[in-house]
Amino acid sequence: MNANASGCMENDERTHLVIDIVTKHKNSKGALIPILHEVQGLYGYLPVEAQEIIAKEMNVPISEVFGVISFYSFFSLNPKGKHRVSICMGTACYVKGSGPILDKLKETLEIGVGETTADGEFTLEDCRCLGACGLAPVLTINGKVFGRLTKDDIPVIIEGCKTEDGGIVQ
């Protein structure tokens, strides 16, 4: 098997699994979203190769598949890191300082929002509300909530993710 430019293996076993997923759903009304959801679970994101297989197997244009992926924020075109860091930018968090915290996250991780560190450890995301306004400002890492933050907390939290005793849920 040969690796292509994105690092995916051509004709790997996941190709067959994608075809099986499409076959399982394709006769159902509104099948594309459940197919994309399952395929993203398989890869962790939706690589172009998988999109092409889905389009071919469903007999729809690749633009239709891409249109659905790009419309819904749940779907990702890029691999996610081991640790998904999401900073709340909702009103309560923003007023209490999530902007400087986001800046510190970018500086500490050396990436922008929507990016993943080169080592694949961290993906930085922002969101509109995490529903923990009483703890503002808030961020989550793999679903674990960190509240009442200051920008000085960020290096300690990120370093904790890198160690066994960091307490971050995988």
Side-chain angles (χ1 to χ4, degrees):
M1 284 189 250
N2 297 325
N4 63 23
S6 68
C8 292
M9 299 301 287
E10 294 176 12
N11 298 319
D12 69 2
E13 70 181 57
R14 290 186 292 187
T15 298
H16 300 293
L17 293 173
V18 171
I19 293 170
D20 290 345
I21 290 167
V22 174
T23 301
K24 178 173 77 172
H25 292 286
K26 77 178 183 181
N27 294 322
S28 303
K29 187 171 177 99
L32 186 53
I33 290 176
I35 290 169
L36 292 171
H37 180 74
E38 278 193 52
V39 172
Q40 181 165 282
L42 183 63
Y43 287 91
Y45 71 111
L46 291 161
V48 171
E49 296 83 0
Q51 294 175 51
E52 290 169 345
I53 293 166
I54 293 166
K56 179 181 177 204
E57 294 297 314
M58 291 192 67
N59 197 28
V60 298
I62 187 83
S63 60
E64 182 175 331
V65 174
F66 179 78
V68 171
I69 293 168
S70 61
F71 180 80
Y72 292 102
S73 62
F74 172 80
F75 296 123
S76 177
L77 295 168
N78 300 307
K80 300 291 184 184
K82 179 178 175 183
H83 302 293
R84 292 181 68 171
V85 181
S86 185
I87 179 78
C88 181
M89 298 303 284
T91 303
C93 287
Y94 190 79
V95 166
K96 294 223 175 182
S98 63
I101 293 169
L102 175 59
D103 291 341
K104 187 65 173 182
L105 282 164
K106 290 180 195 176
E107 175 188 319
T108 303
L109 297 173
E110 299 178 343
I111 57 173
V113 172
E115 297 178 352
T116 299
T117 56
D119 62 5
E121 284 294 311
F122 295 92
T123 297
L124 179 59
E125 302 167 333
D126 63 357
C127 65
R128 293 301 127 219
C129 185
L130 290 169
C133 302
L135 298 174
V138 175
L139 69 78
T140 63
I141 301 178
N142 296 346
K144 181 175 179 172
V145 177
F146 295 83
R148 296 187 180 97
L149 298 171
T150 69
K151 66 180 185 171
D152 295 333
D153 295 324
I154 298 307
V156 174
I157 291 170
I158 296 302
E159 194 56 39
C161 292
K162 297 177 181 178
T163 63
E164 287 291 324
D165 61 355
I168 304 302
V169 178
Q170 296 293 322

